[in-house]
Amino acid sequence: MRAAQGVCKLEKEEEVLHPARSLTLRRWFFASLILAAVIIVLVRFLLIPDSKDAADWQGTLAAILDNLLAATATSLAIGVAYVVLLPKLEVEQVEIIQPRLISGALEAAARDCTRWSIRARTASYFARVVAPLLRDNALRAGGSIEIKVQLLDPGNDKALEAYARYRSNRPGASAVWSAARVRTEICSTILAMAVYRNEAPRLEIEVGLSSDFWVLSLDLCDEIAFITGQNKGQPCLCVRRTSQLFSGWREDFEAGFLMCRIIRPSAPGLRLQDLHRPTAATLGVIRSLFESVGILGMQDSNLKEIAAYMRREHNYA
C-alpha cells in the first residue's frame, strides 16, 4: 500500500507539472506571457517612441524590445498550439482517492454502468446510497443492470461475532457492536435489494451469503474497481479497467462469490413507502422474504427494526 501511495504521489506531482493536464499551470503560463507583452508594448511605444533624432542607445533598446515582443507573440502561438493540438494524457490506471472524494466517485460510477459487484460485510452504504442510484439508472435508461452483492451470512453466528469484535476493537470506534446489530444491517441490505428489485424490475440482483470474514470492501463496476477500508477517513485504491490489475480483482470477486450461498431476494409488491409504518401485512411479506432465504424465527420487533434501519441515512459509526 505504501508503494502504491508513493507511485500515486509521484504521478500526481508529474500531473501538476505537466502543462497538458494542469489548468493552473496553463493559466499562469498564458497570463505571464500576456502581461509581458503588455509591458513591452507600453515601454516600447510610450517611453521609447520612434524618432529619427533618438540616441543610439534608445534605438538599440527599441530594437531589443521589438525582438522581445516578437518572441513573446511566438511563445503564445506555440503554447496555444501545444494545448490544442496535443492529445491529453491517459488517466492513471491506478490511483489513490482521498476520503472526501470516495462517495462522489462511487456515486458518479453508479449513474452510468450496466453491472455492479460488491463484497462488503453488511453493504450498508451500498444499500442506502449506491443501490438507489442503480435503480434510478435502470429506470432512466430502460436497460438491465446486473448486481451481485456478497455479504456475511446472517445465519452464521461465528462470522457475525468475529465481525462485531473487530468493529468494537477498532481505534476510534464510537459504539460497541454486537452480532445482533450486524445481523440487522445485513438483513436490511437484503430487504433493500428486494424492494429495489420491485421498483426497477430490470435490476438483476443476486446476493451471496458467505461464512468467511474479510476486512477490505470491493466495489466493481464496468470501468473501475474501488478497494476501500473499513472506517471513514481511510483512502480508497482505484483500479481502472485499462490496468492489468482490474481483471484480477474481478476474477477474485467471482471466485469468492461462487463459494457463497446464492439467494435472489423477493418480496412481491413491497415498496419503499410501505416500510415507513409497516402494517401486519407488510411485516408478513418481510417475514416470508427472510424465511424463503433460510432466516427463521423473526419476531415483529425484529422486522420493524430492520425496516427502520433500512430507512436510516448511512453513517460510519
Side-chain angles (χ1 to χ4, degrees):
M1 180 63 73
R2 290 181 179 177
Q5 289 176 341
V7 172
C8 179
K9 181 178 180 181
L10 179 59
E11 290 176 345
K12 291 296 183 183
E13 291 175 352
E14 292 176 350
E15 175 180 346
V16 171
L17 297 175
H18 200 292
R21 288 189 175 183
S22 175
L23 178 60
T24 301
L25 185 58
R26 293 200 302 270
R27 286 174 176 172
W28 278 106
F29 174 76
F30 288 114
S32 300
L33 287 179
I34 293 172
L35 180 59
V38 170
I39 293 174
I40 293 172
V41 169
L42 292 176
V43 173
R44 172 65 181 84
F45 294 102
L46 295 181
L47 299 182
I48 310 177
D50 290 329
S51 175
K52 295 181 179 180
D53 299 329
D56 291 342
W57 69 269
Q58 289 180 323
T60 302
L61 182 58
I64 292 173
L65 291 174
D66 289 339
N67 292 332
L68 286 175
L69 184 58
T72 303
T74 302
S75 298
L76 276 171
I78 294 174
V80 170
Y82 179 81
V83 172
V84 173
L85 299 179
L86 288 184
K88 292 183 178 179
L89 297 180
E90 295 285 339
V91 177
E92 288 88 351
Q93 296 179 341
V94 179
E95 60 181 320
I96 301 295
I97 299 179
Q98 295 305 312
R100 68 182 184 280
L101 303 177
I102 295 175
S103 60
L106 288 170
E107 292 168 22
R111 291 190 179 95
D112 185 22
C113 71
T114 59
R115 63 174 175 171
W116 195 285
S117 302
I118 175 172
R119 180 171 63 206
R121 282 74 46 192
T122 64
S124 292
Y125 183 86
F126 173 79
R128 289 165 178 74
V129 179
V130 178
L133 295 174
L134 295 174
R135 173 201 59 194
D136 297 342
N137 183 15
L139 292 173
R140 180 181 64 257
S144 62
I145 297 179
E146 176 187 309
I147 299 176
K148 292 183 177 181
V149 186
Q150 182 175 338
L151 305 167
L152 291 177
D153 190 340
N156 189 315
D157 293 336
K158 184 178 180 180
L160 301 186
E161 290 170 359
Y163 180 57
R165 286 195 303 270
Y166 171 79
R167 288 303 304 268
S168 298
N169 294 331
R170 294 294 295 168
S174 59
V176 176
W177 282 64
S178 65
R181 177 179 176 178
V182 179
R183 182 179 290 106
T184 297
E185 285 204 9
I186 295 172
C187 289
S188 72
T189 297
I190 295 173
L191 176 61
M193 295 302 100
V195 170
Y196 296 145
R197 186 181 178 188
N198 289 340
E199 295 180 339
R202 288 187 177 274
L203 291 180
E204 301 174 2
I205 301 175
E206 289 184 322
V207 176
L209 303 180
S210 174
S211 59
D212 294 328
F213 170 63
W214 61 92
V215 174
L216 294 178
S217 295
L218 172 62
D219 286 81
L220 284 160
C221 62
D222 298 322
E223 299 293 331
I224 307 175
F226 300 93
I227 299 92
T228 54
Q230 177 61 74
N231 299 315
K232 185 178 181 180
Q234 295 178 334
C236 167
L237 179 63
C238 175
V239 181
R240 300 186 182 277
R241 185 174 59 84
T242 52
S243 169
Q244 296 179 354
L245 300 175
F246 181 83
S247 60
W249 283 106
R250 182 169 292 284
E251 291 171 3
D252 181 71
F253 174 85
E254 294 295 341
F257 198 76
L258 288 175
M259 300 302 295
C260 296
R261 180 166 65 93
I262 308 300
I263 63 174
R264 293 174 175 81
S266 176
L270 192 63
R271 299 283 177 161
L272 188 61
Q273 58 267 27
D274 298 330
L275 303 179
H276 292 291
R277 293 181 180 273
T279 63
T282 298
L283 294 177
V285 173
I286 299 174
R287 180 179 289 106
S288 297
L289 162 65
F290 291 124
E291 288 178 349
S292 67
V293 298
I295 306 174
L296 308 176
M298 287 284 189
Q299 304 298 320
D300 285 355
S301 58
N302 302 131
L303 300 176
K304 290 179 180 178
E305 183 180 8
I306 292 169
Y309 199 94
M310 179 184 162
R311 301 196 312 271
R312 289 173 50 183
E313 292 186 2
H314 181 269
N315 60 71
Y316 292 87

